[in-house]
Amino acid sequence: MLYQTLNNGVAIPVLGLGTYKLTGDEGLVAIKHAIQTGYRHIDTASYYDNETIIGTAVKDSGIPRSEFFLTSKVWETDQGYDATLRAFEHTLENLQTDYLDLYLIHWPHALSKATWRAMEYLYDQGKVKAIGVSNFSNHQLEVLMEDAVVMPMVNQLERHPYMIQAEAYAYNHNQGIVMEAWRPLLRGALEEEPILVTLSQKYGKSVSQIVLRWQIQTGFVVFPKSANERRQAENFDIFDFELSPSECDEISGLHKENSPASDIIIEK
């Protein structure tokens, strides 16, 4: 496994398991299988309604908690100082743990500055090893950081070959913020893209494996979601080959759309 180092020295695995819509008994089976496959980085959120089964899967694995990197997120309706603290404790209860590796603001919100103060408190108390945001534009990050004592360590955005987030990456990287990619495979919409098919044939890898390898080689942490055992294993098997810089540039050249502008104003 490869790692990136956050701006506070914490190591984060560059590949994890996305868990959106992995719920109920089927979700539990899928997450347990992912752990058996080797996944130790698991990304969830209170909104996903699956923290409880993730906690059960981790506990039932018999693998020490310290070997896992668990991320969750505070939802919009729980933003604000006191509400965030309550939401965090509920997340810990669901995950059956006494700390998180990473806690994110799921979406920018008018109360995100108050939410961030609560997250700084949790960080100072040692209840979370790293804190960050999700779906924040460059401007929203600037506003959040105006009064921040602890700088964000992660920003999670939608990112795939049709939306490469070049401006966001440049800004976040300059601020020492590691970027994560959600919807990294565009839900299978890339399978017939000629450049990706050619690279798939060259390396003897699937199109999904090519895209995931591109994601990590271009600086992103990535966590594809799959409940399928074969696909989970395939997505995990991306560390035995390397794309050339020019091939990464070719994939990035598929870019065709920018992130929709966010009109959420964070209260000063």
Side-chain angles (χ1 to χ4, degrees):
M1 178 61 67
L2 299 176
Y3 295 82
Q4 283 206 47
T5 302
L6 304 181
N7 60 28
N8 66 342
V10 168
I12 180 172
V14 297
L15 177 67
L17 178 73
T19 64
Y20 181 50
K21 293 188 177 181
L22 294 184
T23 58
D25 291 341
E26 290 185 5
L28 178 60
V29 170
I31 293 163
K32 284 187 172 183
H33 182 268
I35 292 172
Q36 292 172 354
T37 299
Y39 289 85
R40 297 294 180 267
H41 176 183
I42 301 175
D43 180 271
T44 184
S46 61
Y47 180 75
Y48 299 172
D49 195 28
N50 60 11
E51 291 174 330
T52 299
I53 62 170
I54 291 171
T56 297
V58 169
K59 184 177 180 180
D60 289 353
S61 73
I63 298 167
R65 166 68 181 89
S66 59
E67 294 189 20
F68 288 91
F69 192 101
L70 300 183
T71 299
S72 194
K73 312 175 192 77
V74 58
W75 185 239
E76 297 175 68
T77 52
D78 290 318
Q79 292 216 36
Y81 189 89
D82 291 334
T84 295
L85 295 181
R86 288 193 295 269
F88 181 82
E89 290 302 323
H90 188 56
T91 284
L92 290 188
E93 291 174 7
N94 287 342
L95 289 170
Q96 302 178 55
T97 184
D98 58 2
Y99 73 96
L100 279 185
D101 295 279
L102 178 62
Y103 199 41
L104 305 178
I105 299 178
H106 204 148
W107 289 92
H109 188 279
L111 297 178
S112 285
K113 280 201 172 186
T115 299
W116 190 253
R117 289 196 297 272
M119 294 174 73
E120 289 179 325
Y121 171 79
L122 294 168
Y123 178 72
D124 289 340
Q125 294 296 305
K127 291 193 171 186
V128 58
K129 291 186 175 182
I131 53 178
V133 299
S134 179
N135 302 300
F136 272 59
S137 69
N138 293 352
H139 176 67
Q140 289 161 337
L141 268 171
E142 287 176 350
V143 173
L144 185 73
M145 292 189 295
E146 286 173 349
D147 305 314
V149 176
V150 179
M151 293 298 110
M153 296 148 196
V154 167
N155 188 12
Q156 186 180 116
L157 295 177
E158 179 180 2
R159 202 257 185 164
H160 45 74
Y162 293 161
M163 184 187 292
I164 67 171
Q165 300 286 8
E167 290 184 8
Y169 181 81
Y171 176 80
N172 282 263
H173 185 69
N174 187 56
Q175 299 294 325
I177 299 170
V178 167
M179 296 208 69
E180 297 184 330
W182 62 264
R183 197 182 288 166
L185 299 173
L186 199 55
R187 297 174 181 169
L190 302 165
E191 291 298 321
E192 296 182 4
E193 186 62 54
I195 292 171
L196 300 175
V197 172
T198 297
L199 291 172
S200 171
Q201 294 169 346
K202 174 182 176 179
Y203 288 101
K205 293 288 186 178
S206 70
V207 166
S208 293
Q209 287 171 312
I210 296 295
V211 174
L212 293 175
R213 186 70 206 187
W214 166 79
Q215 292 275 17
I216 65 173
Q217 283 188 223
T218 51
F220 279 70
V221 172
V222 66
F223 32 85
K225 186 212 77 173
S226 179
N228 181 277
E229 294 184 5
R230 181 189 63 81
R231 289 297 299 272
Q232 285 181 356
E234 177 183 293
N235 291 341
F236 198 74
D237 184 25
I238 60 171
F239 298 105
D240 60 350
F241 77 105
E242 186 171 343
L243 300 168
S244 71
S246 62
E247 289 167 342
C248 286
D249 289 344
E250 279 190 284
I251 297 172
S252 296
L254 295 171
H255 174 77
K256 61 176 69 175
E257 57 183 310
N258 293 316
S259 302
S262 171
D263 59 358
I264 298 169
I265 298 174
I266 299 174
E267 292 178 357
K268 297 283 187 177

